[in-house]
Amino acid sequence: MASTVSFQQTKEQQRAKAAWDDVQEVDRKSPDVKRKYRGLVLKLPVMILTNGLGQALAFLKSKGKGNADDPHEIVYAHLQKWLFSEIRWTGATQPTLIERIFNTTSETYRQATTEALSYLHWLRRFAEAVLPEPEEE
Amino acid sequence: MFKKATLMFLYTETSLHAGSGTSLGVVDLPIQREKYTDFPVIQASGLKGAVREWFEFRSTDSADRRKIELAFGPDKIGSEESGFAAAVSFTDARILLFPVRSLKGIFAYCTSPTALERFRRDAQIAGVSIDWTIPRPPDDRTVLGVREGCDVAADDQVLLEEYAFGFQGKEEVTSIAKWLSQEAFPDRGEYAFWREKVKKSLLVLPDNAFRDFVKLSTEVQARIKIDNDKRTVVKGGLFYEEALLPDSLLYSVVLAHDPVKDDRAELADSPAVLAFLRGIDGQRLQLGGDATIGRGIVSVRFHGQGKQPKPGKEEQGNG
């Protein structure tokens, strides 16, 4: 028999890989964007815990104003990409994450919240490792 | 092996930080949790130490101190007293009721089939038989509450934090709520309101929902360290600390053995040990970290004898 080692990756490996790619993408941008992105992913988990995922995403949208180069929009895009691929969105087929959040079931919303936190866990680790710290005031 | 056992209920009155050290997660200082359920827990060693401290603060003479040594074990290892085991054991304090913000009724006392079934099993160790049955929510979107007079449901809906659930009233939940109100909640006068509240606000959540709430709905406080000269935050001096919420109910099984040391004058046998321990029944205790910022005040209630349930006059004002 051939080797029985499974080639299936763990969920954590998949998250780590996707998060690493996301942070590498940010690392090619301007120093200002890098610093702001780092600060954002560091504070986002607590923001989700205290205000909820919907509020946190609305905050990113209100700051990013649809400008694809804004760090807020970049974080939002990273979350959207990951959650779209990982969550089975019951009853929600809208094209943007925030619309799906508002239209899906309460149960899926809860799953999305825990998944977003698990993903951010890796994003912030890698952001801390790769991206520059904000300059001292 | 233990000879006598009972249940000790712990009702949190302030946030409780039984810390587990540092973490790589969202919170810098998380609370203790069970590995396989992610439910909050208070490890037995911390609990035993806090109970011992309560008795030590109140000990006045050497007879008291001797009882404490017999019950909790010797204070100093290395003296001639070294090497004898305590006569009392505690199990880790497990979560039974977890408060969750509700759109209606301020908050709901939440539990789940798994939490209740474990409680039933643990109660068996303590020789407490449970006469209620545990209902199962039909799916992951529906919570069960008391049959009559539920104060957190509106039109067959319950909104917990920002999550909506369907609601069904069940007679079984009413029985559980009554039992908890009489047997588990502190029985002092200031708890009259809360003993009534649980009879209206108890919810049995689907296990998955309960797990998510105990994971995501604990208290997370941002704390800072101030530079005394600059009066600003020290760089890197921001940290997040997690705490179990007030109005949570936990329980531990207390097991009593005959004291190893034959010292009949002080504590003769396991019933005497348990009777001694009941000195803390109905009292307040400080558990966990951050005592000086008011954390960890819990009300202790032992199950069984010595309790004086006060039926009838339960609507008295508590001002």
Side-chain angles (χ1 to χ4, degrees):
Chain A
M1 279 296 283
S3 162
T4 51
V5 173
S6 166
F7 286 96
Q8 198 178 9
Q9 286 182 314
T10 68
K11 195 54 107 191
E12 281 292 76
Q13 282 178 294
Q14 294 168 19
R15 289 183 191 122
K17 184 181 181 308
W20 178 257
D21 292 344
D22 282 349
V23 171
Q24 289 302 312
E25 172 206 319
V26 176
D27 198 31
R28 290 190 286 270
K29 301 199 185 282
S30 76
D32 186 48
V33 168
K34 286 198 249 189
R35 272 194 285 272
K36 282 187 179 150
Y37 181 92
R38 182 183 196 272
L40 262 178
V41 292
L42 282 176
K43 73 178 184 181
L44 209 52
V46 169
M47 196 185 280
I48 293 173
L49 278 182
T50 48
N51 304 300
L53 180 62
Q55 288 277 350
L57 291 174
F59 162 81
L60 292 178
K61 271 292 175 196
S62 74
K63 292 284 182 183
K65 303 218 180 351
N67 172 8
D69 293 327
D70 187 288
H72 296 85
E73 287 288 345
I74 299 174
V75 178
Y76 178 93
H78 289 162
L79 282 175
Q80 172 166 301
K81 190 176 57 182
W82 181 252
L83 293 177
F84 273 14
S85 75
E86 289 305 304
I87 304 286
R88 291 178 60 193
W89 293 91
T90 327
T93 52
Q94 288 76 10
T96 69
L97 178 58
I98 203 149
E99 283 175 287
R100 287 202 193 178
I101 289 285
F102 297 142
N103 284 290
T104 192
T105 62
S106 206
E107 205 180 336
T108 308
Y109 182 20
R110 241 176 38 237
Q111 285 167 6
T113 304
T114 42
E115 187 56 48
L117 286 169
S118 305
Y119 192 57
L120 277 163
H121 178 69
W122 286 104
L123 272 188
R124 59 179 246 155
R125 279 290 142 236
F126 291 142
E128 273 188 305
V130 172
L131 305 175
E133 281 186 55
E135 272 147 22
E136 280 235 62
E137 304 282 307
Chain B
M1 190 59 182
F2 63 92
K3 290 197 168 168
K4 278 192 77 75
T6 191
L7 287 169
M8 181 170 79
F9 292 99
L10 305 164
Y11 190 100
T12 61
E13 296 185 349
T14 62
S15 313
L16 190 152
H17 178 77
S20 65
T22 54
S23 87
L24 298 173
V26 174
V27 230
D28 302 289
L29 298 171
I31 58 173
Q32 297 163 2
R33 288 178 183 276
E34 287 175 337
K35 175 77 179 165
Y36 72 118
T37 57
D38 254 338
F39 292 179
V41 74
I42 304 168
Q43 286 165 11
S45 61
L47 184 58
K48 185 182 168 199
V51 174
R52 181 188 187 126
E53 184 197 39
W54 187 91
F55 281 99
E56 281 180 347
F57 274 169
R58 279 158 190 78
S59 72
T60 48
D61 51 30
S62 60
D64 275 351
R65 279 189 286 280
R66 182 67 188 154
K67 282 183 188 168
I68 291 171
E69 290 225 311
L70 288 170
F72 296 96
D75 204 15
K76 287 198 190 76
I77 302 283
S79 66
E80 60 179 275
E81 290 288 4
S82 69
F84 73 87
V88 56
S89 318
F90 296 85
T91 65
D92 293 346
R94 290 174 162 167
I95 189 90
L96 187 56
L97 298 181
F98 185 84
V100 178
R101 188 178 80 219
S102 164
L103 183 67
K104 210 167 157 271
I106 311 282
F107 74 90
Y109 288 107
C110 295
T111 185
S112 83
T114 297
L116 288 167
E117 287 290 359
R118 288 205 318 176
F119 174 69
R120 182 205 288 283
R121 201 174 63 190
D122 292 337
Q124 201 63 44
I125 304 176
V128 177
S129 65
I130 302 291
D131 56 0
W132 29 265
T133 49
I134 298 165
R136 299 281 186 280
D139 52 47
D140 263 2
R141 298 177 299 277
T142 310
V143 300
L144 307 176
V146 295
R147 188 73 183 253
E148 305 268 320
C150 177
D151 73 344
V152 290
D155 305 332
D156 294 335
Q157 276 244 319
V158 173
L159 199 65
L160 296 174
E161 303 241 317
E162 46 191 343
Y163 306 109
F165 292 90
F167 173 83
Q168 288 176 11
K170 289 275 183 214
E171 203 54 57
E172 291 102 313
V173 182
T174 311
S175 308
I176 297 171
K178 264 195 198 135
W179 190 92
L180 290 172
S181 170
Q182 282 167 18
E183 309 283 332
F185 271 50
D187 60 2
R188 292 190 309 271
E190 72 269 28
Y191 272 88
F193 172 84
W194 308 98
R195 285 196 301 271
E196 280 307 301
K197 164 102 178 142
V198 70
K199 288 195 243 171
K200 295 179 283 191
S201 312
L202 180 68
L203 293 179
V204 177
L205 267 53
D207 278 321
N208 290 330
F210 183 70
R211 201 246 340 263
D212 286 351
F213 280 119
V214 299
K215 263 175 86 173
L216 302 177
S217 303
T218 50
E219 189 170 279
V220 177
Q221 289 190 354
R223 295 184 56 193
I224 50 166
K225 178 179 167 63
I226 299 275
D227 183 321
N228 275 349
D229 298 327
K230 289 200 269 182
R231 297 274 183 96
T232 55
V233 183
V234 174
K235 188 169 162 34
L238 167 72
F239 59 100
Y240 292 100
E241 186 183 66
E242 187 183 22
L244 190 60
L245 295 161
D247 291 302
S248 304
L249 183 71
L250 302 105
Y251 65 92
S252 165
V253 182
V254 182
L255 308 164
H257 325 244
D258 288 336
V260 181
K261 292 270 163 175
D262 193 10
D263 206 340
R264 306 213 169 272
E266 307 297 347
L267 279 180
D269 49 14
S270 55
V273 170
L274 217 50
F276 171 66
L277 218 65
R278 275 184 188 275
I280 202 172
D281 188 7
Q283 304 291 317
R284 286 190 174 87
L285 178 69
Q286 195 279 324
L287 271 180
D290 288 331
T292 58
I293 50 172
R295 299 274 161 80
I297 298 179
V298 300
S299 247
V300 180
R301 164 85 188 264
F302 275 65
H303 182 269
Q305 60 173 16
K307 71 173 195 283
Q308 283 100 34
K310 299 179 195 80
K313 297 177 70 180
E314 288 184 341
E315 286 302 339
Q316 61 208 194
N318 58 343

